[in-house]
Amino acid sequence: MTWKHGILSAFVLVAAWQLLVIITGVPSFILPPPMKVAKAMWFYHALIAENAWVTTQEVLLGMIIGSVLGILTALHLATSRTARAILRPILVFSQAVPVFALAPILVLWFGYGIWSKIVMAVLIIYFPVTSAFFDGLMKTPAGYLDLAKTMGASRARTLWHIRFKSALPSLGSGLRLAAVYAPIGAVIGEWVGASKGLGYLMLLANGRVKIDLMFATLIVLAVLTVCLHLAVDILARKLAKDH
Amino acid sequence: MKASLGIKLEGAASIDGLTLFAPIALDIRPNQWTCLLGPSGVGKSTVLRLIADLKTYVDFDGTITTSDGQPLTDRVAYMAQSDLLFPWLSVAENVSIGARLRGEKPDGKRVLDMVSRVGLSGHDTKKPAALSGGQRQRVALARTLMENRPVILLDEPFSALDAKTRAEMQELTFALLKERTVLLVTHDPAEAARLAHIGYIMQPQGLIPMEMPETPPVRPIDDPLTIACQTALFRVLRKGAA
Ligand SMILES: Nc1ncnc2c1ncn2[C@@H]1O[C@H](COP(=O)(O)OP(=O)(O)OP(=O)(O)O)[C@@H](O)[C@H]1O
Ligand SMILES: [Mg+2]
């Protein structure tokens, strides 16, 4: 997909939206026409920007903290049999708990500020990053490890020069998944309890029947998510380069 | 590192109770080139891996002993049948990976020298993906030659090369590993006839020791003795043991 394709599909989407409004004649408190949403976006741009910044911080910090924790856990699991025996079942079992259901508890523990949302995003992306990277670390081609062994490599250097490097594409796939989940985590956190952020703004607009603002906020959230995708995609490609 | 180290491998191998090769006694003499020929699948690479103490898929019933009684750990350089180049490292980085894996500082000058000796000067910053099969094999060869080990195990190291380059690489490798204990697996009777002090043909029934010319390797390709040896090897490979 190129930029041109992206702009073209955005155009098609807006046209279809406008057409739908015209044909069905839905009232604008159900589905406002594109122009009305654009006006709301302009009118409330300061408000939207302020809240978008909060959500961006939550998502980015969640991404960074969750990825770092995931990478460290995967390295630990890959190097320690004991860790594998103890941690892996816990990790898999923890996936049985729907993370969304934890949101109220997280707000209770970490408050209305950005930290409960960051923790939410961290919890959601931690498992995909850990498991993707761990899989990559465990499927290093056997021939590479044979080579390292005959060359007299220490475990630490084998891990760094060979296992880590050959697992980078898998880490990239994990980060791609994280980019999908992190914004969901942050927004759900905001829905449960917040005084800032795009998720909060959507609820606020909904409550005041400012449907045009709600849609404007939704679009900004979608654009932010797409930007995150593109950035992570570039990173993942870099990681998988030469593999 | 000039140590006179000999290795004896004695024993048989089976896979799931089926014999892969009957009891063999492979005598790898110190500071000599021993060549191992034989049909595909007979277990030549397996023998190399057993000596290198790597995982195999066979049950080996026997012993591997060294002439000084010490284990072979850290005294073997192993060039596998596949090149095993790291795609994310450049040619020069691949050639010097051994040093970095041991936490030593790679000798940049020696690396570049080795890269140019295998005929790849100017390719040192390329990634393996940008090389041909024969070029990749030469990078793997250079990486093996960088390892300063008394015992060198080579699994078909010249198989992907054209006739001219192959002859050159045989000569280079022999010159660099002249005083080492080398076990060379090859499918090419001409290669064995040129390079081997001692030659064996491996078959499921066991090892057949082959008579090698008296002249020291590297022998000229067109020498009558070399050609006669090559023909003799070829006959046994075709027919099996007489
Ligand atoms: N991954 C594996 N699983 C089961 N059996 C294997 C595996 N790899 C090799 N073998 C068996 O081990 C036997 C010996 O293999 P080996 O690689 O030593 O043969 P080789 O003599 O080196 O053959 P070639 O000349 O084709 O390289 C083969 O018959 C093969 O079937
Ligand atoms: Mg083989």
Side-chain angles (χ1 to χ4, degrees):
Chain A
M1 201 180 85
T2 66
W3 282 108
K4 278 182 195 162
H5 287 130
I7 290 168
L8 194 68
S9 28
F11 248 118
V12 171
L13 206 68
V14 172
W17 175 7
Q18 179 69 62
L19 213 63
L20 192 73
V21 171
I22 293 171
I23 292 173
T24 60
V26 287
S28 81
F29 59 85
I30 301 287
L31 179 64
M35 206 49 215
K36 200 154 183 274
V37 173
K39 271 187 193 145
M41 206 179 287
W42 175 247
F43 187 76
Y44 292 109
H45 69 268
L47 182 70
I48 294 175
E50 189 197 333
N51 287 285
W53 172 233
V54 172
T55 303
T56 305
Q57 281 174 297
E58 292 163 358
V59 170
L60 288 184
L61 282 172
M63 278 291 287
I64 292 166
I65 297 171
S67 304
V68 169
L69 288 179
I71 289 168
L72 293 178
T73 310
L75 285 170
H76 189 48
L77 286 174
T79 46
S80 155
R81 207 179 283 269
T82 326
R84 279 205 290 284
I86 297 170
L87 275 180
R88 233 160 117 196
I90 297 178
L91 268 176
V92 173
F93 180 72
S94 74
Q95 287 313 101
V97 181
V99 183
F100 305 125
L102 293 178
I105 302 173
L106 294 181
V107 172
L108 180 71
W109 288 350
F110 297 99
Y112 263 54
I114 64 171
W115 281 101
S116 54
K117 289 79 194 172
I118 292 171
V119 173
M120 183 82 192
V122 166
L123 283 183
I124 283 194
I125 71 167
Y126 175 68
F127 189 78
V129 172
T130 304
S131 90
F133 191 40
F134 173 70
D135 280 349
L137 287 168
M138 293 311 279
K139 58 168 206 260
T140 317
Y144 289 166
L145 300 177
D146 293 342
L147 193 65
K149 187 183 170 194
T150 57
M151 285 175 159
S154 65
R155 277 172 53 112
R157 290 205 184 83
T158 306
L159 179 67
W160 169 245
H161 285 291
I162 300 177
R163 296 178 72 189
F164 185 81
K165 299 282 172 68
S166 77
L168 287 179
S170 308
L171 176 61
S173 328
L175 293 180
R176 279 200 174 98
L177 279 178
V180 175
Y181 293 137
I184 300 177
V187 168
I188 288 182
E190 288 172 357
W191 282 348
V192 170
S195 51
K196 280 193 177 97
L198 291 175
Y200 158 79
L201 188 58
M202 282 181 75
L203 283 191
L204 187 82
N206 193 31
R208 301 196 179 165
V209 207
K210 292 202 193 306
I211 306 304
D212 48 355
L213 173 60
M214 198 171 120
F215 272 82
T217 311
L218 183 64
I219 288 170
V220 170
L221 181 64
V223 169
L224 282 181
T225 308
V226 168
C227 289
L228 181 67
H229 275 278
L230 291 174
V232 170
D233 192 58
I234 290 170
L235 178 68
R237 269 171 214 263
K238 277 227 167 78
L239 291 178
K241 194 175 152 279
D242 298 321
H243 276 78
Chain B
M1 199 185 287
K2 202 176 141 189
S4 298
L5 185 56
I7 301 166
K8 280 202 173 76
L9 179 143
E10 285 166 303
S14 58
I15 301 178
D16 298 330
L18 289 174
T19 303
L20 180 64
F21 53 80
I24 58 171
L26 177 62
D27 185 10
I28 303 160
R29 302 244 180 95
N31 303 351
Q32 299 220 318
W33 278 56
T34 305
C35 279
L36 198 56
L37 292 114
S40 184
V42 76
K44 303 181 298 299
S45 298
T46 304
V47 164
L48 248 60
R49 295 181 63 87
L50 286 168
I51 295 172
D53 193 22
L54 297 172
K55 194 169 166 281
T56 63
Y57 296 93
V58 303
D59 302 310
F60 177 64
D61 179 19
T63 55
I64 297 167
T65 47
T66 54
S67 56
D68 63 0
Q70 300 295 313
L72 278 169
T73 319
D74 291 343
R75 296 200 287 174
V76 175
Y78 167 60
M79 178 172 170
Q81 207 165 345
S82 53
D83 57 53
L84 296 177
L85 300 183
F86 298 108
W88 56 86
L89 296 181
S90 71
V91 166
E93 288 165 337
N94 265 292
V95 171
S96 60
I97 186 69
R100 268 174 299 129
L101 280 173
R102 288 185 293 272
E104 301 159 5
K105 200 175 139 40
D107 180 347
K109 214 170 137 273
R110 197 170 152 239
V111 171
L112 285 187
D113 180 53
M114 195 61 84
V115 169
S116 90
R117 287 178 96 156
V118 297
L120 293 173
S121 36
H123 296 279
D124 50 294
T125 55
K126 283 190 186 167
K127 296 277 162 69
L131 301 179
S132 73
Q135 289 172 329
R136 291 173 62 105
Q137 195 170 37
R138 279 179 282 155
V139 177
L141 178 65
R143 180 184 61 196
T144 313
L145 295 174
M146 286 295 289
E147 296 296 287
N148 212 4
R149 297 282 170 91
V151 177
I152 291 94
L153 308 172
L154 302 171
D155 201 344
E156 301 183 33
F158 313 115
S159 57
L161 305 179
D162 65 276
K164 174 175 177 287
T165 314
R166 178 183 303 194
E168 288 166 5
M169 288 304 115
Q170 288 169 345
E171 284 149 25
L172 169 74
T173 308
F174 194 86
L176 291 177
L177 302 180
K178 204 167 192 162
E179 300 290 301
R180 308 293 170 95
T181 305
V182 175
L183 178 59
L184 169 75
V185 169
T186 176
H187 279 301
D188 181 5
E191 188 164 288
R194 282 196 89 193
L195 295 172
H197 292 102
I198 299 167
Y200 289 102
I201 287 179
M202 188 171 171
Q203 298 194 316
Q205 302 82 6
L207 277 185
I208 307 168
M210 295 301 299
E211 205 166 315
M212 287 292 143
E214 297 282 320
T215 52
V218 174
R219 307 181 184 97
I221 292 167
D222 50 2
D223 187 288
L225 284 176
T226 314
I227 294 172
C229 174
Q230 176 186 342
T231 313
L233 290 170
F234 183 71
R235 284 219 178 95
V236 179
L237 284 170
R238 274 310 292 269
K239 287 205 195 113

